[in-house]
Amino acid sequence: MNFLVTGGAGFIGSHVCEQLLRSGHAVWAFDDLNPFYDPELKRRNIREVQALARPFEFVHGDITDRTAVAEVLGRVKFDQVIHLAARAGVRPSLEQPALYMRVNVEGTANVLEAARLAGVKKIIMASTSSVYGINPKVPFSESDPVASTISPYSASKLACEALGHVYHHLYGMDVVMLRFFTVYGQRQRPDLGIYKFARLISAGKAIPVFGDGTSSRDYTFISDILDGIMACTRMEFGYEIFNLGESQIVTLNHMIELLERALGANAVIDRQPMQPGDVPVTCADISKARARLGYNPRVKIEQGIPLFVDWLRKNPA
């Protein structure tokens, strides 16, 4: 099959491209290489995908450019679109809310409309655990209310979920929304906590810890996320939302301890107040994904952190 992967040069996107190629598909990666973090890291990701010597094409383009999106979807007969391109991160969205709405919402509308006009029947889209906001019910289930998001980023992703439902309802497109829970692993974005902390600890510099370290996340290793995405490519759903997480609560303090152990160095803590937009805990109820996708996450954080550190040592920024 022919796949278009938006955001295909990024952390998750480049892994998706590789997995699709290894499964015998042809892949086009669409990415604007924006400077949210060093574009050279994204170019390195693309070079690694190209090294597989499989049917792959990189297209430099911006999802907010309606013409560019329509052009790539108009010149190739795509079977499926995996839409991962977005402005990511809760804290940066507080500083640039309009940018997040333009890229994430308007960009997603461009992708959906171009896919519809090109006759693409299936699209898999990235959402986020952030849509749950401060949810008193743990673990978070897809059926939980999500009307109280607390950051522009999460609000933009919730809007994307609504757009996906519109295109399913009006045009019969098969749309899957995947709520990712704190993904980490090889090629992780350098602005994310595990990567940032690993670099600072290795350099003997202080790491910024917001709050008392008891805030918790459901850290999900990249290979488990890939298993969930690939399962979605093989099925039809109409319109569905799935949580993809490990369903394991890990405190910030424990994550730091695991990094210290893997790096063989002690962290210097720079204690700071909790940040606006941050939630105290995330944890995925993955019973629906288990039942419908056969999703079975295998990499606990005690295994995943050493795997990430090993990659980071072999691939310094």
Side-chain angles (χ1 to χ4, degrees):
M1 290 195 292
N2 291 338
F3 282 84
L4 176 66
V5 180
T6 71
F11 166 35
I12 299 175
S14 61
H15 282 286
V16 169
C17 290
E18 280 189 342
Q19 192 69 29
L20 289 168
L21 291 171
R22 290 192 173 105
S23 298
H25 302 295
V27 179
W28 283 253
F30 187 88
D31 201 298
D32 68 351
L33 302 178
N34 69 69
F36 180 71
Y37 62 92
D38 186 358
E40 179 53 34
L41 297 178
K42 301 172 192 176
R43 295 189 185 97
R44 184 170 70 181
N45 293 344
I46 289 297
R47 289 194 294 270
E48 291 186 19
V49 177
Q50 290 170 331
L52 295 177
R54 304 284 177 88
F56 173 78
E57 181 180 334
F58 173 66
V59 180
H60 189 186
D62 187 336
I63 59 171
T64 65
D65 182 343
R66 186 183 309 172
T67 301
V69 175
E71 191 277 331
V72 70
L73 275 154
R75 69 180 172 87
V76 178
K77 182 63 177 177
F78 288 108
D79 297 285
Q80 297 185 32
V81 173
I82 301 179
H83 176 42
L84 305 173
R87 282 285 174 157
V90 167
R91 291 171 194 158
S93 77
L94 303 180
E95 300 172 2
Q96 296 180 297
L99 174 65
Y100 274 67
M101 294 301 163
R102 183 168 66 86
V103 174
N104 296 358
V105 183
E106 182 182 337
T108 294
N110 290 340
V111 171
L112 283 165
E113 181 64 3
R116 178 186 75 83
L117 293 173
V120 178
K121 295 299 184 183
K122 183 175 184 65
I123 184 164
I124 299 166
M125 297 168 56
S127 187
T128 172
S129 61
S130 297
V131 301
Y132 290 106
I134 301 177
N135 188 356
K137 176 181 160 292
V138 178
F140 303 164
S141 169
E142 295 90 343
S143 60
D144 292 345
V146 288
S148 301
T149 57
I150 61 170
S151 71
Y153 170 63
S154 58
S156 72
K157 284 297 191 176
L158 192 57
C160 293
E161 292 188 5
L163 277 170
H165 186 269
V166 167
Y167 273 75
H168 162 68
H169 176 75
L170 292 178
Y171 309 115
M173 294 176 69
D174 194 82
V175 179
V176 184
M177 304 297 313
L178 299 178
R179 292 175 178 170
F180 297 149
F181 281 70
T182 314
V183 189
Y184 72 104
Q186 300 91 332
R187 299 185 189 148
Q188 184 176 19
R189 296 195 336 253
D191 61 295
L192 294 174
I194 289 176
Y195 193 120
K196 182 192 299 183
F197 285 6
R199 283 188 304 148
L200 292 172
I201 293 171
S202 297
K205 297 180 180 179
I207 60 173
V209 174
F210 300 97
D212 62 3
T214 59
S215 61
S216 304
R217 294 290 179 269
D218 189 351
Y219 294 99
T220 314
F221 198 68
I222 183 61
S223 60
D224 290 329
I225 290 290
L226 291 175
D227 287 346
I229 293 173
M230 292 302 294
C232 289
T233 67
R234 298 187 288 266
M235 304 177 190
E236 294 184 5
F237 299 99
Y239 177 84
E240 287 290 355
I241 298 171
F242 291 104
N243 288 337
L244 293 186
E246 296 293 328
S247 201
Q248 177 187 20
I249 296 177
V250 179
T251 67
L252 181 56
N253 286 333
H254 185 51
M255 183 268 280
I256 293 169
E257 290 169 1
L258 292 172
L259 277 174
E260 288 177 318
R261 193 179 308 164
L263 292 164
N266 293 325
V268 179
I269 306 296
D270 175 16
R271 193 76 61 185
Q272 299 188 20
M274 288 292 290
Q275 295 293 289
D278 282 355
V279 298
V281 61
T282 65
C283 183
D285 178 343
I286 57 174
S287 56
K288 181 179 177 181
R290 284 188 190 278
R292 300 285 301 278
L293 303 177
Y295 177 68
N296 184 33
R298 293 167 291 178
V299 183
K300 299 300 183 185
I301 196 165
E302 291 79 9
Q303 303 164 278
I305 290 290
L307 289 171
F308 168 75
V309 168
D310 180 63
W311 170 83
L312 185 62
R313 285 173 168 157
K314 294 175 181 175
N315 296 272

